[in-house]
């Protein structure tokens, strides 16, 4: 049985009404996610045998897509990435 890694985050929106919310570009979203959740170097350091793991990702679309892209960039196979989405509260 292969070891696994669970990735999930309970993201809450910032205060303010929907009218005040700023929507980020894809590049801004990627930069914000790296700042908040880490990058490829963090993953490799935290999980040295990451290529042998199965990753379970659960969370809002932006979080799941961020980690999926990062895992694919470092060489994790598509078959080793399991995910589901939830919209939050």
């Amino acid at each position: 049985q292969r070891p696994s890694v669970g990735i999930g985050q309970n993201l809450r929106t910032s205060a303010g009404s929907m009218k005040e919310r700023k929507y980020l570009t894809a590049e801004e979203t990627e930069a914000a996610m790296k700042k908040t959740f880490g990058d490829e170097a963090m993953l490799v350091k935290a999980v040295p045998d990451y290529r042998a793991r199965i990753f379970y990702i659960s969370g809002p679309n932006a979080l799941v897509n961020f980690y999926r892209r990062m895992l694919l960039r470092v060489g994790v196979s598509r078959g080793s990435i399991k995910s589901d989405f939830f919209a939050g509260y």
Side-chain angles (χ1 to χ4, degrees):
Q1 185 176 22
R2 292 172 51 195
S4 63
V5 175
I7 300 173
Q9 181 67 31
N10 179 4
L11 296 179
R12 295 180 183 246
T13 58
S14 59
S17 72
M18 289 294 285
K19 292 179 183 177
E20 297 169 345
R21 187 175 300 161
K22 177 187 176 203
Y23 292 94
L24 303 177
T25 66
E27 293 80 18
E28 290 171 326
T29 300
E30 185 83 10
M33 297 296 273
K34 282 185 179 182
K35 183 177 179 181
T36 304
F37 300 111
D39 59 8
E40 290 87 345
M42 177 274 314
L43 172 71
V44 171
K45 183 177 180 182
V47 188
D49 63 341
Y50 65 93
R51 286 193 176 117
R53 302 280 185 125
I54 296 174
F55 287 84
Y56 294 91
I57 311 169
S58 180
N61 290 354
L63 178 87
V64 172
N65 291 331
F66 168 77
Y67 277 114
R68 182 190 316 274
R69 286 189 305 270
M70 181 172 57
L71 292 168
L72 291 171
R73 281 194 300 266
V74 297
V76 174
S77 70
R78 289 184 190 278
S80 294
I81 303 171
K82 312 297 181 195
S83 63
D84 68 359
F85 300 99
F86 67 86
Y89 304 73

